[in-house]
Amino acid sequence: MAAFRFLAALFALVAVIAIIADATPVITGGGAFSPKSVTQHWMELSPKTLESAKASVSRSASPALWEGLSSSILAIPTFAVFAIASAIFGYIGRHRRRVNVFVN
């Protein structure tokens, strides 16, 4: 359970960094808020791994799978994807209350 909480914190950190990167032009007065998608961030950080992931998915499964993936999940803003992933992993890794059924 600690691993899920760690991943939730890590994904929350990535979400905060992504929204700050997207909001920086608004804060500095350089433009309007325009969130970048996962594909745009991935292309800026490492275009070779994006191309290799596309080739790997297209080769092992189907090119249609990559097109469906890139048009749905990878087109969502980065901060939203990682915030949702953080919430999911935080819920999975939450502390559970032990209920004692045999209490008199």
Side-chain angles (χ1 to χ4, degrees), residues 50-70:
L50 178 63
E51 291 302 319
S52 67
K54 180 179 179 180
S56 176
V57 169
S58 297
R59 183 179 51 240
S60 64
S62 168
L65 178 67
W66 179 260
E67 294 302 319
L69 186 68
S70 66

Side-chain angles (χ1 to χ4, degrees), residues 28-43:
T28 60
F33 179 71
S34 60
K36 293 183 182 177
S37 68
V38 176
T39 307
Q40 290 171 334
H41 275 285
W42 197 353
M43 188 64 136

Side-chain angles (χ1 to χ4, degrees), residues 1-9 11 86 88-94:
M1 293 303 152
F4 289 121
R5 288 191 300 268
F6 173 75
L7 286 174
F11 290 155
S86 174
I88 290 169
F89 279 99
Y91 181 75
I92 292 170
R94 72 191 184 280

Side-chain angles (χ1 to χ4, degrees), residues 66-96:
W66 179 260
E67 294 302 319
L69 186 68
S70 66
S71 67
S72 61
I73 295 174
L74 297 178
I76 299 173
T78 305
F79 71 89
V81 170
F82 282 100
I84 291 168
S86 174
I88 290 169
F89 279 99
Y91 181 75
I92 292 170
R94 72 191 184 280
H95 290 285
R96 291 181 178 81

